[in-house]
Amino acid sequence: MKLTILGCYSATPRTLNNTTSQVLEINNHMFLIDCGEGTQVQLRKHKIKFNRIKHIFISHLHGDHFFGLVGLISTFRLLTREADLHIYGPKGIKEVVTLQMKLADSWTNYNLIFHELTSNKSELIFEDEKVLVHTVPLNHRVYTNGFLFQEKEGDRKLKIEAVEAANINVAYYRKLTQGFDVVNENGETIKNESVTKAGLKPKSYAFCSDTMYKEDIVPIIKNVDVLYHESTFLEKHAHLGPKTKHSTAKEAATIAKLANAGTLLLGHYSTRYDGLNAFKEEAQEVFDNVELCEDGKTFEF
């Protein structure tokens, strides 16, 4: 699982700082999460192949999280994209994108498929044979979701010596890795757990975009390997959290601790602050394993 931070600041882009956008590579998927202004420039800068992006997840319709979307869609068209592009986001995202395309007479030459979200409860929005994606309902000034990305259980691993000792024909090895009991050469049923072991632990990543402190997301993201949680403010500005419906670094850390997350990533910093170290320091008062997102930084888990 590899995460590339394209932008991690709030409100407006600056010379050296971009607004929210991330690329998650998980089980041969490349998911784009939010698409702030300048996202396609960042994609080029970090040599991420445009044609690998087939699914885009937009948390909410504030500009610093989706103003780069129409430009990216247009660039895909100019690059003669043919593959379908799926966009998951709040109801209204189809209207705002297609209106601009209509007025510019710039319709795509590929299928643009919108999945508009309205539920205030967590729901499964993507599934294939390897990955699940659920929404994480958040509390912001407009309808907002985070996203939980989870690998499915992989194949079991053969204990070769045990398999050979059990006199199992090689034709049944695949069935064993899929978790089935099999019959050996002597006509005996061999229990799967006696000749296999669990495969690699499935990995998970939760992206919790703009939100005020919200404990009821904890059961949804429980035991997540990596949690990104917005941390717009330091404690000296905690009073702004309820007004703007944003969180502090310490509140993000509290969610990570309650959820038993493996690692906490902080981001969506207010541009009122000159440095980032204080965010990490305040979060580590509550939760030990904290990392700071910065534009262009990658994390591999």
Side-chain angles (χ1 to χ4, degrees), residues 49-61:
K49 294 182 178 179
F50 283 30
N51 60 3
R52 287 195 58 200
I53 298 172
K54 296 182 171 61
H55 302 270
I56 300 176
F57 299 85
I58 302 296
S59 61
H60 64 295
L61 296 182

Side-chain angles (χ1 to χ4, degrees), residues 136-193:
V136 182
L138 300 174
N139 184 358
H140 193 41
R141 300 193 307 278
V142 296
Y143 176 77
T144 305
N145 284 300
F147 303 102
L148 174 63
F149 302 85
Q150 297 170 293
E151 288 183 326
K152 290 185 175 180
E153 290 280 351
D155 288 347
R156 295 184 64 79
K157 303 296 183 183
L158 298 178
K159 295 190 283 190
I160 292 298
E161 291 184 1
V163 170
E164 292 175 347
N167 198 23
I168 298 171
N169 190 290
V170 68
Y172 292 105
Y173 283 12
R174 179 61 181 153
K175 297 281 284 185
L176 287 172
T177 63
Q178 292 173 333
F180 294 100
D181 298 338
V182 299
V183 176
N184 70 1
E185 300 280 18
N186 305 323
E188 302 166 331
T189 298
I190 305 299
K191 291 293 185 181
N192 187 274
E193 59 269 20

Side-chain angles (χ1 to χ4, degrees), residues 262-277:
T263 300
L264 170 65
L265 306 183
L266 300 178
H268 201 264
Y269 317 110
S270 169
T271 54
R272 60 170 40 84
Y273 304 111
D274 292 329
L276 300 181
N277 286 339

Side-chain angles (χ1 to χ4, degrees), residues 124-137:
L124 177 66
I125 58 172
F126 173 85
E127 180 179 14
D128 67 5
E129 68 277 5
K130 293 184 177 181
V131 176
L132 299 165
V133 184
H134 287 84
T135 57
V136 182

Side-chain angles (χ1 to χ4, degrees), residues 3 9 22 24 49 56 63 76 97 110 118 149-150 170 182 185-186 203 214 220-221 290:
L3 182 71
Y9 281 77
Q22 305 181 355
L24 177 67
K49 294 182 178 179
I56 300 176
F76 283 150
V97 169
Y110 56 90
T118 59
F149 302 85
Q150 297 170 293
V170 68
V182 299
E185 300 280 18
N186 305 323
K203 295 179 180 179
K214 192 172 189 284
I220 302 171
I221 62 173
V290 179

